[in-house]
Amino acid sequence: MNEHDSELIAGMMEKKGYILAEGQNDADIIVLNTCCVRETAENKVFGLLGRLGKLKKQKPHLIIAMGGCMSQQEHITPKIKQRFKYVDILFGTHNIHMLPDLIDKAEGQKKQVIDIWSERKDIQEGLSVKRFQGIRAWVSIMFGCNNFCTYCIVPYVRGREKSRQPENIIEEIKELVSNGYHEVTLLGQNVNSYGKDLTSGIDFADLLVKINALEGLNRIRYMTSHPKDFSDKLIMTIANLNKVCEHIHLPVQAGSNNILRKMNRGYTREDYLELVKKIRTAVPGVSLTTDIMVGFPGETDDDFADTIELIKDVEFDSAFTFIYNKRQGTPAAAMEEQIPDPIKIARIEELIALQNEISLRRNKMEVSKILPCQVEGPSKTNADLMSARTSTNKIVIFQGNQKLVGSLVQLRITGYGLTHLEGEVILAE
Ligand code: SAH
Ligand code: SF4
């Protein structure tokens, strides 16, 4: 979501007459689009700000702007005012569209320009977007989150759920298709609650039906699905629509009911396993990926063992694994029984080792299958090879040429690794 916001920022800047600089040293303006979901991201920003301070001393005309989720936290503004006086502009997640005006303001004065809104007023439509993703495009369908998982900062920095009107989403996708995009990824913190705030009664399944009907579009992806809101109607819709990819990112977070309750996730381990069963029955071959966290306050060895058991039971295709860390202002940060770092580290290492074993095994199962894959461009690890993606969101590298970019090819899977498959072309479009 942040990366898509960066595309929006770049689009607005281009419209204002700026061009992308080669690097920081060539830039007249540097915009930091920050994330505060986890501590490491936040620390990186402070490190970068320190380095930019030195650059600004050499280039006094340089404008430094900081936006994103971090700016939205209350304790950040005073810190930027006191310790990072050379930051010219501080803006938030709800007023990204104001950036061009804030730049004009900053150019004319020496004082810091600070403009942060506590809530998004209206959804801004029709802003220019500079897409960085090649043939795939991100499309926000909603903003914010109402769930307040006890560890999570997102609802505080992104506000309450607000869905875009379906006609605006359709319009954007039609334009993307006419500009040569064949694949969209619909974005929302919890796409399954799309439409709950709209008066028309539309839900996420209905939206998928509308998008599936668009000519010229090959593939539809979406992120993120919250397990507690995954309805039977949605499962059947996904199963029946030909363009909706066979991949669901379904963050489980933990395998222990005790921890899930303390996290305020709104489902039990049993609910989750039941949901996985239903999805796998309705969509055979679907790939499931997840987010898992270790070291939530009060997590005992038994709780962690439940997580390990669940991972073994479900066999996810891959997982993002996280060490819990305190986010200021969230309920979990004030909970007693914070887990010591060495225990957290031992748990995540065990978890990663297990998941790697499973991912490798599941990738091996793909060998000798013939799969339709969308070609994305040269491989990031070996420029002599091309990279394509299966409907199940697995990367396949293969011998091919640039002309194939954007087309669907049939690839026979010949090999596998932890994070990719290898293949050969059977049939090109
Ligand atoms: N809306 C998505 C998640 C967005 S945040 C959902 O509900 O699934 C992405 C991931 O970051 C989360 O799934 C969670 O695993 C992780 N995360 C969030 N807050 C965290 C924290 N305080 N410490 C560690 N990981 C965290
Ligand atoms: Fe955070 Fe939970 Fe909302 Fe996801 S659903 S963004 S984890 S509060």
Side-chain angles (χ1 to χ4, degrees):
M1 189 159 286
N2 269 49
E3 285 184 40
H4 183 47
D5 283 348
S6 293
E7 293 183 330
L8 207 71
I9 291 170
M12 289 188 303
M13 300 296 285
E14 242 180 28
K15 201 163 173 207
K16 199 170 161 55
Y18 285 89
I19 52 168
L20 266 182
E22 298 254 315
Q24 287 171 16
N25 290 339
D26 304 307
D28 295 311
I29 175 161
I30 296 177
V31 185
L32 272 67
N33 184 22
T34 62
C35 168
C36 63
V37 167
R38 286 175 295 275
E39 201 176 8
T40 37
E42 234 180 65
N43 292 343
K44 275 188 198 164
V45 172
F46 289 124
L48 179 57
L49 279 177
R51 291 196 295 282
L52 291 182
K54 289 189 192 118
L55 188 62
K56 179 122 180 177
K57 276 203 182 109
Q58 294 158 19
K59 286 173 66 172
H61 75 278
L62 175 69
I63 295 178
I64 300 174
M66 172 170 156
C69 300
M70 245 174 102
S71 312
Q72 217 50 58
Q73 293 175 284
E74 272 173 21
H75 64 280
I76 292 295
T77 303
K79 196 161 175 173
I80 296 294
K81 277 186 181 167
Q82 283 152 23
R83 276 188 47 200
F84 303 101
K85 293 197 172 76
Y86 49 83
V87 170
D88 301 281
I89 301 166
L90 193 62
F91 65 106
T93 54
H94 303 303
N95 65 341
I96 295 179
H97 62 283
M98 301 275 297
L99 183 61
D101 294 342
L102 300 179
I103 293 171
D104 288 342
K105 232 173 159 178
E107 274 172 339
Q109 66 178 51
K110 278 217 143 44
K111 252 180 45 203
Q112 284 185 316
V113 176
I114 298 177
D115 194 358
I116 292 161
W117 299 0
S118 57
E119 270 293 334
R120 186 177 290 266
K121 289 172 191 157
D122 299 305
I123 293 178
Q124 299 289 324
E125 293 292 349
L127 297 175
S128 327
V129 180
K130 181 176 175 63
R131 304 205 182 247
F132 294 135
Q133 270 230 93
I135 60 151
R136 312 194 305 145
W138 281 311
V139 176
S140 290
I141 61 166
M142 59 195 297
F143 304 94
C145 181
N146 290 357
N147 288 316
F148 290 94
C149 302
T150 53
Y151 51 81
C152 185
I153 195 77
V154 171
Y156 304 90
V157 294
R158 291 273 172 183
R160 295 297 71 71
E161 280 173 6
K162 276 207 171 75
S163 304
R164 283 177 76 193
Q165 292 294 344
E167 51 276 17
N168 292 330
I169 298 170
I170 298 290
E171 222 25 68
E172 182 176 348
I173 300 177
K174 275 187 180 162
E175 202 183 316
L176 285 167
V177 171
S178 69
N179 287 329
Y181 289 91
H182 297 298
E183 179 174 323
V184 290
T185 304
L186 311 176
L187 296 178
Q189 291 300 342
N190 174 12
V191 291
N192 302 352
S193 60
Y194 171 79
K196 283 189 181 156
D197 57 317
L198 299 176
T199 48
S200 60
I202 187 169
D203 64 14
F204 183 54
D206 303 331
L207 181 70
L208 284 176
V209 171
K210 282 180 191 288
I211 298 174
N212 197 76
L214 295 178
E215 246 172 75
L217 187 67
N218 290 342
R219 285 181 165 179
I220 305 167
R221 300 184 187 276
Y222 47 90
M223 262 196 324
T224 297
S225 304
H226 196 305
K228 80 176 165 61
D229 297 314
F230 219 112
S231 66
D232 289 351
K233 173 181 171 187
L234 182 58
I235 296 176
M236 290 328 292
T237 307
I238 289 168
N240 292 332
L241 295 178
N242 61 332
K243 293 178 186 172
V244 175
C245 287
E246 294 154 321
H247 167 227
I248 301 175
H249 186 63
L250 196 63
V252 65
Q253 312 297 357
S256 140
N257 281 336
N258 177 31
I259 297 296
L260 287 170
R261 195 181 51 253
K262 284 192 188 167
M263 285 177 163
N264 190 31
R265 285 293 286 177
Y267 53 86
T268 62
R269 168 197 183 84
E270 293 73 27
D271 295 336
Y272 188 90
L273 291 173
E274 181 58 30
L275 176 62
V276 166
K277 211 157 109 192
K278 273 199 230 167
I279 291 174
R280 284 194 166 142
T281 308
V283 192
V286 69
S287 88
L288 292 177
T289 57
T290 200
D291 293 351
I292 318 163
M293 201 187 296
V294 300
F296 185 81
E299 185 186 64
T300 61
D301 285 344
D302 283 349
D303 291 324
F304 177 62
D306 284 348
T307 296
I308 291 285
E309 260 331 286
L310 184 133
I311 304 302
K312 285 183 183 162
D313 271 9
V314 177
E315 297 220 324
F316 293 103
D317 287 84
S318 67
F320 293 111
T321 50
F322 303 107
I323 290 182
Y324 165 77
N325 54 66
K326 285 186 184 180
R327 303 287 70 213
Q328 199 171 324
T330 61
M335 285 180 190
E336 288 170 6
E337 302 178 62
Q338 297 287 330
I339 306 294
D341 282 350
I343 296 183
K344 286 181 178 169
I345 291 166
R347 285 182 184 164
I348 199 145
E349 282 174 355
E350 186 179 339
L351 189 68
I352 291 172
L354 171 65
Q355 183 54 49
N356 283 353
E357 207 184 290
I358 296 171
S359 296
L360 209 55
R361 195 164 61 236
R362 290 195 68 88
N363 283 348
K364 187 178 179 186
M365 282 160 54
E366 301 300 293
V367 173
S368 80
K369 286 186 188 166
I370 294 174
L371 302 173
C373 301
Q374 175 113 350
V375 183
E376 298 188 344
S379 154
K380 286 193 179 122
T381 47
N382 181 345
D384 294 336
L385 297 174
M386 298 298 289
S387 176
R389 198 177 289 265
T390 65
S391 167
T392 54
N393 208 32
K394 293 180 193 263
I395 297 282
V396 190
I397 52 173
F398 67 102
Q399 205 105 46
N401 61 53
Q402 197 67 33
K403 278 192 219 134
L404 293 175
V405 173
S407 62
L408 268 180
V409 293
Q410 300 289 335
L411 295 179
R412 187 203 312 276
I413 307 303
T414 54
Y416 66 99
L418 187 59
T419 53
H420 72 277
L421 303 172
E422 290 154 21
E424 60 189 13
V425 181
I426 296 294
L427 187 70
E429 231 174 30

